[in-house]
Amino acid sequence: MLRCIECGREYPEDEVRYRCDCGGLLEVVIDLDKVENVFDGKNITLWKYKSFIPVEKRVSLNEGGTPLYRLENLQKELEMRELYVKNEGANPTGSFKDRGMTVGVSKALELGMDKVICASTGNTSASLAAYSAKAGIRSYVLVPSGKIALGKLAQAIVYGAKVVPIRGNFDDALRVVVEASRELGVYMLNSINPFRLEGQKTIAFEVFDQLGFVPNNVILPVGNAGNISAIWKGFKELYEAGFIDKLPRMIGIQAEGASPLAKAWKERREFKPEEKPETVATAIRIGNPANWKKAWKAVEESGGSLESVSDEEILKAQKLLASKEGIFVEPASASSLAGLIKLKELSLIEPDESYVLITTGHGLKDPNIIIENFKLPEPIEPSLEAFKEVL
Ligand SMILES: *Cc1c(COP(=O)(O)O)cnc(C)c1O
Ligand SMILES: [Zn+2]
């Protein structure tokens, strides 16, 4: 059953529908009497949690089961007790979007749809293209022209999506996609599609399964705001099913140039979209987060917060995570660490608590950002002498 988060109206799951007639966002209601307690720390993959996932069909590339690392070095440096990274870059196409797409594309098949569409800052298009290829259906992706990282574009192309660049940003692309899905009978797999979030909520299941306990805090980047909503839903389902007895705080981080939610939160005012979002973290370059109401609830209910970080802080955190821990993530993903560092400096976090940072996408998605900011030395003669000189 689908339920509107605004008015509570319910709809069946077998109709193609993205919003309530009142305009509100929908969420899938799971029958928690039927879920299985499989949280034994073993054989972790997304589909281990199938009793929580509302589809029968399964288009899978073996997503999930991503590593959870203890950040031994950074923990010491930041004088914190317990710091972890859940590295979602280890998914089949290199981002957490695969969790949403394995469920979303499976749902498309169940609904009998043979064409799917999304607007994307890059990773959604790469993921949708891959899962559509696997399912043997057609995919269309609309991306902001010139503002999509090289690796992501290459992925969407090679997996065989019809890639359409638009003159505009992500928010413009999403507007067109919403209209196209209505008029042209293609299934929309942006994160306002509630089935996407049903896959993404498994991040919460895996964190609990891997740690064996619920961390005090989860920190992650926020763009269109689906993922923070999804992870919160996952933890709440665990709680309501009686498998855990406490919940984490959800802490969302936005890039300063694209931070409508963090601004509204910090200034304690109404949410207002941002007209011209800009940041190096292209995956979260979004001015009008479609899921903002769900995200706001997640932060409020969990006792969490929203913060923003500058591009400079993001790039510094990216370098730090790679050079101190061997984990290379794309800029958007590094905003979780940048956010932690900023909150620490503002004395807004408890160093004695446990923190899990979600790093959402792989660093190789966007190699340019590194190369452009680094100057290789001049080539040397191929001799040991010359090599010794540069050491
Ligand atoms: C999509 C994406 C995000 C933002 O997630 P939302 O659900 O849109 O808030 C963050 N980082 C990366 C790498 C992404 O691909
Ligand atoms: Zn409604």
Side-chain angles (χ1 to χ4, degrees), residues 84-86 218-222 251-254 284 309 314 317 321 329-343 356-360:
Y84 303 89
V85 154
K86 173 83 170 148
V218 174
I219 308 188
L220 74 157
V222 170
I251 302 175
I253 310 295
Q254 295 199 293
I284 51 173
V309 289
I314 289 173
L321 193 55
V329 303
E330 64 167 285
S333 311
S335 63
S336 49
L337 177 59
L340 174 84
I341 292 171
K342 179 165 178 187
L343 291 169
V356 173
L357 309 175
I358 313 293
T359 54
T360 43

PDB file of all heavy atoms in Angstrom, residues 84-86 218-222 251-254 284 309 314 317 321 329-343 356-360:
ATOM      1  N   TYR A  84      33.059   5.696  11.737  1.00  0.00           N
ATOM      2  CA  TYR A  84      32.986   4.705  10.658  1.00  0.00           C
ATOM      3  C   TYR A  84      32.589   5.370   9.348  1.00  0.00           C
ATOM      4  O   TYR A  84      31.936   6.412   9.336  1.00  0.00           O
ATOM      5  CB  TYR A  84      31.910   3.655  10.951  1.00  0.00           C
ATOM      6  CG  TYR A  84      32.075   2.917  12.240  1.00  0.00           C
ATOM      7  CD1 TYR A  84      31.511   3.423  13.425  1.00  0.00           C
ATOM      8  CD2 TYR A  84      32.758   1.710  12.294  1.00  0.00           C
ATOM      9  CE1 TYR A  84      31.644   2.734  14.623  1.00  0.00           C
ATOM     10  CE2 TYR A  84      32.895   1.013  13.489  1.00  0.00           C
ATOM     11  CZ  TYR A  84      32.335   1.529  14.646  1.00  0.00           C
ATOM     12  OH  TYR A  84      32.467   0.850  15.826  1.00  0.00           O
ATOM     13  N   VAL A  85      32.973   4.680   8.251  1.00  0.00           N
ATOM     14  CA  VAL A  85      32.456   5.058   6.936  1.00  0.00           C
ATOM     15  C   VAL A  85      31.759   3.857   6.318  1.00  0.00           C
ATOM     16  O   VAL A  85      32.287   2.744   6.335  1.00  0.00           O
ATOM     17  CB  VAL A  85      33.591   5.539   5.998  1.00  0.00           C
ATOM     18  CG1 VAL A  85      33.223   5.312   4.544  1.00  0.00           C
ATOM     19  CG2 VAL A  85      33.867   7.022   6.195  1.00  0.00           C
ATOM     20  N   LYS A  86      30.569   4.083   5.810  1.00  0.00           N
ATOM     21  CA  LYS A  86      29.876   3.071   5.004  1.00  0.00           C
ATOM     22  C   LYS A  86      30.082   3.499   3.558  1.00  0.00           C
ATOM     23  O   LYS A  86      29.563   4.530   3.121  1.00  0.00           O
ATOM     24  CB  LYS A  86      28.398   3.070   5.387  1.00  0.00           C
ATOM     25  CG  LYS A  86      27.512   2.182   4.529  1.00  0.00           C
ATOM     26  CD  LYS A  86      27.556   0.755   4.981  1.00  0.00           C
ATOM     27  CE  LYS A  86      26.487  -0.101   4.281  1.00  0.00           C
ATOM     28  NZ  LYS A  86      26.976  -1.496   4.103  1.00  0.00           N
ATOM     29  N   VAL A 218      24.159   9.309  12.177  1.00  0.00           N
ATOM     30  CA  VAL A 218      24.455   8.990  10.781  1.00  0.00           C
ATOM     31  C   VAL A 218      24.573  10.321  10.042  1.00  0.00           C
ATOM     32  O   VAL A 218      23.689  11.174  10.153  1.00  0.00           O
ATOM     33  CB  VAL A 218      23.329   8.135  10.153  1.00  0.00           C
ATOM     34  CG1 VAL A 218      23.576   7.927   8.661  1.00  0.00           C
ATOM     35  CG2 VAL A 218      23.204   6.790  10.864  1.00  0.00           C
ATOM     36  N   ILE A 219      25.690  10.494   9.346  1.00  0.00           N
ATOM     37  CA  ILE A 219      25.903  11.756   8.613  1.00  0.00           C
ATOM     38  C   ILE A 219      25.995  11.461   7.129  1.00  0.00           C
ATOM     39  O   ILE A 219      26.744  10.567   6.713  1.00  0.00           O
ATOM     40  CB  ILE A 219      27.204  12.460   9.075  1.00  0.00           C
ATOM     41  CG1 ILE A 219      27.223  12.619  10.597  1.00  0.00           C
ATOM     42  CG2 ILE A 219      27.348  13.820   8.388  1.00  0.00           C
ATOM     43  CD1 ILE A 219      28.369  13.477  11.113  1.00  0.00           C
ATOM     44  N   LEU A 220      25.264  12.213   6.319  1.00  0.00           N
ATOM     45  CA  LEU A 220      25.318  11.965   4.875  1.00  0.00           C
ATOM     46  C   LEU A 220      25.010  13.227   4.068  1.00  0.00           C
ATOM     47  O   LEU A 220      24.396  14.162   4.589  1.00  0.00           O
ATOM     48  CB  LEU A 220      24.332  10.852   4.478  1.00  0.00           C
ATOM     49  CG  LEU A 220      22.845  11.167   4.460  1.00  0.00           C
ATOM     50  CD1 LEU A 220      22.121  10.199   3.550  1.00  0.00           C
ATOM     51  CD2 LEU A 220      22.257  11.103   5.851  1.00  0.00           C
ATOM     52  N   PRO A 221      25.474  13.247   2.812  1.00  0.00           N
ATOM     53  CA  PRO A 221      25.169  14.387   1.945  1.00  0.00           C
ATOM     54  C   PRO A 221      23.691  14.395   1.568  1.00  0.00           C
ATOM     55  O   PRO A 221      23.065  13.344   1.484  1.00  0.00           O
ATOM     56  CB  PRO A 221      26.028  14.131   0.703  1.00  0.00           C
ATOM     57  CG  PRO A 221      26.355  12.682   0.723  1.00  0.00           C
ATOM     58  CD  PRO A 221      26.348  12.263   2.158  1.00  0.00           C
ATOM     59  N   VAL A 222      23.172  15.582   1.339  1.00  0.00           N
ATOM     60  CA  VAL A 222      21.768  15.730   0.953  1.00  0.00           C
ATOM     61  C   VAL A 222      21.673  16.536  -0.336  1.00  0.00           C
ATOM     62  O   VAL A 222      22.182  17.651  -0.421  1.00  0.00           O
ATOM     63  CB  VAL A 222      20.969  16.439   2.068  1.00  0.00           C
ATOM     64  CG1 VAL A 222      19.575  16.819   1.579  1.00  0.00           C
ATOM     65  CG2 VAL A 222      20.867  15.542   3.298  1.00  0.00           C
ATOM     66  N   ILE A 251      21.918  13.373  10.368  1.00  0.00           N
ATOM     67  CA  ILE A 251      22.554  14.665  10.151  1.00  0.00           C
ATOM     68  C   ILE A 251      22.833  14.829   8.657  1.00  0.00           C
ATOM     69  O   ILE A 251      23.601  14.066   8.074  1.00  0.00           O
ATOM     70  CB  ILE A 251      23.853  14.776  10.976  1.00  0.00           C
ATOM     71  CG1 ILE A 251      23.527  14.574  12.470  1.00  0.00           C
ATOM     72  CG2 ILE A 251      24.534  16.130  10.731  1.00  0.00           C
ATOM     73  CD1 ILE A 251      24.749  14.549  13.377  1.00  0.00           C
ATOM     74  N   GLY A 252      22.162  15.789   8.032  1.00  0.00           N
ATOM     75  CA  GLY A 252      22.275  15.991   6.588  1.00  0.00           C
ATOM     76  C   GLY A 252      23.206  17.143   6.260  1.00  0.00           C
ATOM     77  O   GLY A 252      23.140  18.193   6.896  1.00  0.00           O
ATOM     78  N   ILE A 253      24.072  16.927   5.265  1.00  0.00           N
ATOM     79  CA  ILE A 253      25.029  17.965   4.885  1.00  0.00           C
ATOM     80  C   ILE A 253      24.784  18.396   3.444  1.00  0.00           C
ATOM     81  O   ILE A 253      24.707  17.568   2.536  1.00  0.00           O
ATOM     82  CB  ILE A 253      26.487  17.449   5.008  1.00  0.00           C
ATOM     83  CG1 ILE A 253      26.730  16.788   6.376  1.00  0.00           C
ATOM     84  CG2 ILE A 253      27.470  18.593   4.744  1.00  0.00           C
ATOM     85  CD1 ILE A 253      26.621  17.717   7.580  1.00  0.00           C
ATOM     86  N   GLN A 254      24.673  19.685   3.226  1.00  0.00           N
ATOM     87  CA  GLN A 254      24.543  20.233   1.877  1.00  0.00           C
ATOM     88  C   GLN A 254      25.774  21.071   1.540  1.00  0.00           C
ATOM     89  O   GLN A 254      26.513  21.497   2.425  1.00  0.00           O
ATOM     90  CB  GLN A 254      23.278  21.082   1.771  1.00  0.00           C
ATOM     91  CG  GLN A 254      22.004  20.253   1.958  1.00  0.00           C
ATOM     92  CD  GLN A 254      20.782  20.961   1.424  1.00  0.00           C
ATOM     93  OE1 GLN A 254      20.365  21.981   1.943  1.00  0.00           O
ATOM     94  NE2 GLN A 254      20.205  20.397   0.355  1.00  0.00           N
ATOM     95  N   ILE A 284      25.183  16.817  -5.682  1.00  0.00           N
ATOM     96  CA  ILE A 284      24.220  17.478  -4.783  1.00  0.00           C
ATOM     97  C   ILE A 284      23.995  18.939  -5.204  1.00  0.00           C
ATOM     98  O   ILE A 284      23.661  19.790  -4.390  1.00  0.00           O
ATOM     99  CB  ILE A 284      24.651  17.370  -3.296  1.00  0.00           C
ATOM    100  CG1 ILE A 284      26.096  17.832  -3.098  1.00  0.00           C
ATOM    101  CG2 ILE A 284      24.476  15.957  -2.796  1.00  0.00           C
ATOM    102  CD1 ILE A 284      26.512  17.910  -1.625  1.00  0.00           C
ATOM    103  N   VAL A 309      28.504  22.976   3.993  1.00  0.00           N
ATOM    104  CA  VAL A 309      29.962  23.104   3.952  1.00  0.00           C
ATOM    105  C   VAL A 309      30.381  23.732   2.619  1.00  0.00           C
ATOM    106  O   VAL A 309      29.694  23.580   1.612  1.00  0.00           O
ATOM    107  CB  VAL A 309      30.653  21.721   4.108  1.00  0.00           C
ATOM    108  CG1 VAL A 309      30.504  21.190   5.528  1.00  0.00           C
ATOM    109  CG2 VAL A 309      30.102  20.704   3.116  1.00  0.00           C
ATOM    110  N   ILE A 314      34.869  20.692   1.318  1.00  0.00           N
ATOM    111  CA  ILE A 314      34.558  19.400   0.693  1.00  0.00           C
ATOM    112  C   ILE A 314      35.814  18.783   0.077  1.00  0.00           C
ATOM    113  O   ILE A 314      36.134  17.613   0.303  1.00  0.00           O
ATOM    114  CB  ILE A 314      33.467  19.570  -0.390  1.00  0.00           C
ATOM    115  CG1 ILE A 314      32.107  19.856   0.267  1.00  0.00           C
ATOM    116  CG2 ILE A 314      33.383  18.338  -1.284  1.00  0.00           C
ATOM    117  CD1 ILE A 314      30.989  20.215  -0.714  1.00  0.00           C
ATOM    118  N   ALA A 317      38.253  17.573   2.674  1.00  0.00           N
ATOM    119  CA  ALA A 317      37.803  16.321   3.304  1.00  0.00           C
ATOM    120  C   ALA A 317      38.003  15.131   2.356  1.00  0.00           C
ATOM    121  O   ALA A 317      38.359  14.031   2.786  1.00  0.00           O
ATOM    122  CB  ALA A 317      36.329  16.433   3.703  1.00  0.00           C
ATOM    123  N   LEU A 321      40.250  11.915   3.504  1.00  0.00           N
ATOM    124  CA  LEU A 321      39.724  10.551   3.562  1.00  0.00           C
ATOM    125  C   LEU A 321      40.561   9.601   2.703  1.00  0.00           C
ATOM    126  O   LEU A 321      40.824   8.461   3.086  1.00  0.00           O
ATOM    127  CB  LEU A 321      38.263  10.555   3.091  1.00  0.00           C
ATOM    128  CG  LEU A 321      37.423   9.309   3.356  1.00  0.00           C
ATOM    129  CD1 LEU A 321      37.416   8.933   4.823  1.00  0.00           C
ATOM    130  CD2 LEU A 321      35.992   9.533   2.852  1.00  0.00           C
ATOM    131  N   VAL A 329      36.500   8.942  -2.528  1.00  0.00           N
ATOM    132  CA  VAL A 329      35.076   9.178  -2.800  1.00  0.00           C
ATOM    133  C   VAL A 329      34.918  10.429  -3.647  1.00  0.00           C
ATOM    134  O   VAL A 329      35.815  11.265  -3.721  1.00  0.00           O
ATOM    135  CB  VAL A 329      34.271   9.335  -1.488  1.00  0.00           C
ATOM    136  CG1 VAL A 329      34.453   8.111  -0.599  1.00  0.00           C
ATOM    137  CG2 VAL A 329      34.658  10.609  -0.732  1.00  0.00           C
ATOM    138  N   GLU A 330      33.776  10.569  -4.285  1.00  0.00           N
ATOM    139  CA  GLU A 330      33.546  11.775  -5.082  1.00  0.00           C
ATOM    140  C   GLU A 330      33.235  12.959  -4.151  1.00  0.00           C
ATOM    141  O   GLU A 330      32.919  12.768  -2.975  1.00  0.00           O
ATOM    142  CB  GLU A 330      32.447  11.539  -6.115  1.00  0.00           C
ATOM    143  CG  GLU A 330      31.081  11.242  -5.552  1.00  0.00           C
ATOM    144  CD  GLU A 330      30.010  11.336  -6.645  1.00  0.00           C
ATOM    145  OE1 GLU A 330      29.640  12.449  -7.073  1.00  0.00           O
ATOM    146  OE2 GLU A 330      29.546  10.280  -7.077  1.00  0.00           O
ATOM    147  N   PRO A 331      33.341  14.186  -4.672  1.00  0.00           N
ATOM    148  CA  PRO A 331      33.187  15.354  -3.790  1.00  0.00           C
ATOM    149  C   PRO A 331      31.898  15.366  -2.958  1.00  0.00           C
ATOM    150  O   PRO A 331      31.955  15.619  -1.749  1.00  0.00           O
ATOM    151  CB  PRO A 331      33.225  16.530  -4.768  1.00  0.00           C
ATOM    152  CG  PRO A 331      34.091  16.046  -5.886  1.00  0.00           C
ATOM    153  CD  PRO A 331      33.760  14.586  -6.025  1.00  0.00           C
ATOM    154  N   ALA A 332      30.751  15.063  -3.567  1.00  0.00           N
ATOM    155  CA  ALA A 332      29.495  15.077  -2.803  1.00  0.00           C
ATOM    156  C   ALA A 332      29.611  14.187  -1.569  1.00  0.00           C
ATOM    157  O   ALA A 332      29.167  14.547  -0.473  1.00  0.00           O
ATOM    158  CB  ALA A 332      28.334  14.615  -3.675  1.00  0.00           C
ATOM    159  N   SER A 333      30.218  13.032  -1.750  1.00  0.00           N
ATOM    160  CA  SER A 333      30.330  12.068  -0.658  1.00  0.00           C
ATOM    161  C   SER A 333      31.220  12.583   0.463  1.00  0.00           C
ATOM    162  O   SER A 333      31.002  12.284   1.636  1.00  0.00           O
ATOM    163  CB  SER A 333      30.910  10.759  -1.178  1.00  0.00           C
ATOM    164  OG  SER A 333      30.226  10.345  -2.331  1.00  0.00           O
ATOM    165  N   ALA A 334      32.248  13.343   0.080  1.00  0.00           N
ATOM    166  CA  ALA A 334      33.181  13.872   1.076  1.00  0.00           C
ATOM    167  C   ALA A 334      32.522  14.929   1.948  1.00  0.00           C
ATOM    168  O   ALA A 334      33.037  15.282   3.011  1.00  0.00           O
ATOM    169  CB  ALA A 334      34.409  14.451   0.384  1.00  0.00           C
ATOM    170  N   SER A 335      31.365  15.425   1.528  1.00  0.00           N
ATOM    171  CA  SER A 335      30.705  16.447   2.339  1.00  0.00           C
ATOM    172  C   SER A 335      30.274  15.869   3.689  1.00  0.00           C
ATOM    173  O   SER A 335      30.127  16.617   4.655  1.00  0.00           O
ATOM    174  CB  SER A 335      29.531  17.077   1.596  1.00  0.00           C
ATOM    175  OG  SER A 335      28.564  16.112   1.327  1.00  0.00           O
ATOM    176  N   SER A 336      30.092  14.562   3.777  1.00  0.00           N
ATOM    177  CA  SER A 336      29.737  13.995   5.092  1.00  0.00           C
ATOM    178  C   SER A 336      30.898  14.174   6.075  1.00  0.00           C
ATOM    179  O   SER A 336      30.687  14.584   7.213  1.00  0.00           O
ATOM    180  CB  SER A 336      29.308  12.527   4.976  1.00  0.00           C
ATOM    181  OG  SER A 336      30.223  11.784   4.224  1.00  0.00           O
ATOM    182  N   LEU A 337      32.114  13.890   5.626  1.00  0.00           N
ATOM    183  CA  LEU A 337      33.279  14.106   6.509  1.00  0.00           C
ATOM    184  C   LEU A 337      33.503  15.607   6.748  1.00  0.00           C
ATOM    185  O   LEU A 337      33.769  16.029   7.877  1.00  0.00           O
ATOM    186  CB  LEU A 337      34.543  13.472   5.909  1.00  0.00           C
ATOM    187  CG  LEU A 337      35.833  13.710   6.706  1.00  0.00           C
ATOM    188  CD1 LEU A 337      35.735  13.169   8.121  1.00  0.00           C
ATOM    189  CD2 LEU A 337      37.045  13.104   5.982  1.00  0.00           C
ATOM    190  N   ALA A 338      33.356  16.400   5.686  1.00  0.00           N
ATOM    191  CA  ALA A 338      33.512  17.850   5.847  1.00  0.00           C
ATOM    192  C   ALA A 338      32.511  18.382   6.875  1.00  0.00           C
ATOM    193  O   ALA A 338      32.837  19.234   7.706  1.00  0.00           O
ATOM    194  CB  ALA A 338      33.317  18.553   4.505  1.00  0.00           C
ATOM    195  N   GLY A 339      31.304  17.844   6.831  1.00  0.00           N
ATOM    196  CA  GLY A 339      30.264  18.251   7.777  1.00  0.00           C
ATOM    197  C   GLY A 339      30.625  17.870   9.200  1.00  0.00           C
ATOM    198  O   GLY A 339      30.472  18.667  10.132  1.00  0.00           O
ATOM    199  N   LEU A 340      31.119  16.656   9.363  1.00  0.00           N
ATOM    200  CA  LEU A 340      31.536  16.213  10.697  1.00  0.00           C
ATOM    201  C   LEU A 340      32.612  17.136  11.267  1.00  0.00           C
ATOM    202  O   LEU A 340      32.536  17.567  12.423  1.00  0.00           O
ATOM    203  CB  LEU A 340      32.075  14.776  10.625  1.00  0.00           C
ATOM    204  CG  LEU A 340      32.678  14.252  11.930  1.00  0.00           C
ATOM    205  CD1 LEU A 340      31.591  13.691  12.843  1.00  0.00           C
ATOM    206  CD2 LEU A 340      33.743  13.194  11.686  1.00  0.00           C
ATOM    207  N   ILE A 341      33.597  17.450  10.419  1.00  0.00           N
ATOM    208  CA  ILE A 341      34.699  18.307  10.880  1.00  0.00           C
ATOM    209  C   ILE A 341      34.175  19.691  11.269  1.00  0.00           C
ATOM    210  O   ILE A 341      34.543  20.242  12.308  1.00  0.00           O
ATOM    211  CB  ILE A 341      35.795  18.395   9.790  1.00  0.00           C
ATOM    212  CG1 ILE A 341      36.468  17.017   9.637  1.00  0.00           C
ATOM    213  CG2 ILE A 341      36.818  19.479  10.106  1.00  0.00           C
ATOM    214  CD1 ILE A 341      37.414  16.899   8.453  1.00  0.00           C
ATOM    215  N   LYS A 342      33.274  20.218  10.447  1.00  0.00           N
ATOM    216  CA  LYS A 342      32.723  21.539  10.763  1.00  0.00           C
ATOM    217  C   LYS A 342      31.914  21.516  12.068  1.00  0.00           C
ATOM    218  O   LYS A 342      32.078  22.381  12.926  1.00  0.00           O
ATOM    219  CB  LYS A 342      31.849  22.033   9.610  1.00  0.00           C
ATOM    220  CG  LYS A 342      31.222  23.385   9.877  1.00  0.00           C
ATOM    221  CD  LYS A 342      30.665  24.012   8.626  1.00  0.00           C
ATOM    222  CE  LYS A 342      29.998  25.342   8.950  1.00  0.00           C
ATOM    223  NZ  LYS A 342      29.308  25.899   7.770  1.00  0.00           N
ATOM    224  N   LEU A 343      31.068  20.516  12.203  1.00  0.00           N
ATOM    225  CA  LEU A 343      30.245  20.418  13.420  1.00  0.00           C
ATOM    226  C   LEU A 343      31.124  20.237  14.660  1.00  0.00           C
ATOM    227  O   LEU A 343      30.805  20.724  15.737  1.00  0.00           O
ATOM    228  CB  LEU A 343      29.245  19.259  13.299  1.00  0.00           C
ATOM    229  CG  LEU A 343      28.128  19.477  12.276  1.00  0.00           C
ATOM    230  CD1 LEU A 343      27.359  18.188  12.029  1.00  0.00           C
ATOM    231  CD2 LEU A 343      27.164  20.582  12.735  1.00  0.00           C
ATOM    232  N   VAL A 356      28.512   7.276  11.989  1.00  0.00           N
ATOM    233  CA  VAL A 356      28.693   6.589  10.709  1.00  0.00           C
ATOM    234  C   VAL A 356      28.520   7.616   9.593  1.00  0.00           C
ATOM    235  O   VAL A 356      27.469   8.258   9.488  1.00  0.00           O
ATOM    236  CB  VAL A 356      27.684   5.435  10.524  1.00  0.00           C
ATOM    237  CG1 VAL A 356      27.794   4.845   9.111  1.00  0.00           C
ATOM    238  CG2 VAL A 356      27.914   4.343  11.567  1.00  0.00           C
ATOM    239  N   LEU A 357      29.572   7.779   8.787  1.00  0.00           N
ATOM    240  CA  LEU A 357      29.487   8.666   7.628  1.00  0.00           C
ATOM    241  C   LEU A 357      29.103   7.818   6.422  1.00  0.00           C
ATOM    242  O   LEU A 357      29.706   6.771   6.181  1.00  0.00           O
ATOM    243  CB  LEU A 357      30.851   9.313   7.347  1.00  0.00           C
ATOM    244  CG  LEU A 357      31.565  10.006   8.501  1.00  0.00           C
ATOM    245  CD1 LEU A 357      32.953  10.470   8.050  1.00  0.00           C
ATOM    246  CD2 LEU A 357      30.748  11.185   8.995  1.00  0.00           C
ATOM    247  N   ILE A 358      28.111   8.258   5.678  1.00  0.00           N
ATOM    248  CA  ILE A 358      27.770   7.554   4.437  1.00  0.00           C
ATOM    249  C   ILE A 358      28.511   8.251   3.300  1.00  0.00           C
ATOM    250  O   ILE A 358      28.295   9.449   3.054  1.00  0.00           O
ATOM    251  CB  ILE A 358      26.247   7.597   4.152  1.00  0.00           C
ATOM    252  CG1 ILE A 358      25.421   7.229   5.394  1.00  0.00           C
ATOM    253  CG2 ILE A 358      25.903   6.703   2.959  1.00  0.00           C
ATOM    254  CD1 ILE A 358      25.551   5.808   5.865  1.00  0.00           C
ATOM    255  N   THR A 359      29.417   7.514   2.649  1.00  0.00           N
ATOM    256  CA  THR A 359      30.045   8.079   1.452  1.00  0.00           C
ATOM    257  C   THR A 359      29.330   7.460   0.259  1.00  0.00           C
ATOM    258  O   THR A 359      29.338   6.249   0.060  1.00  0.00           O
ATOM    259  CB  THR A 359      31.559   7.832   1.425  1.00  0.00           C
ATOM    260  OG1 THR A 359      31.824   6.444   1.586  1.00  0.00           O
ATOM    261  CG2 THR A 359      32.240   8.600   2.547  1.00  0.00           C
ATOM    262  N   THR A 360      28.695   8.341  -0.507  1.00  0.00           N
ATOM    263  CA  THR A 360      27.649   7.925  -1.437  1.00  0.00           C
ATOM    264  C   THR A 360      28.121   7.448  -2.808  1.00  0.00           C
ATOM    265  O   THR A 360      27.442   6.675  -3.466  1.00  0.00           O
ATOM    266  CB  THR A 360      26.691   9.107  -1.601  1.00  0.00           C
ATOM    267  OG1 THR A 360      27.506  10.297  -1.720  1.00  0.00           O
ATOM    268  CG2 THR A 360      25.785   9.272  -0.409  1.00  0.00           C
TER     269      THR A 360
END
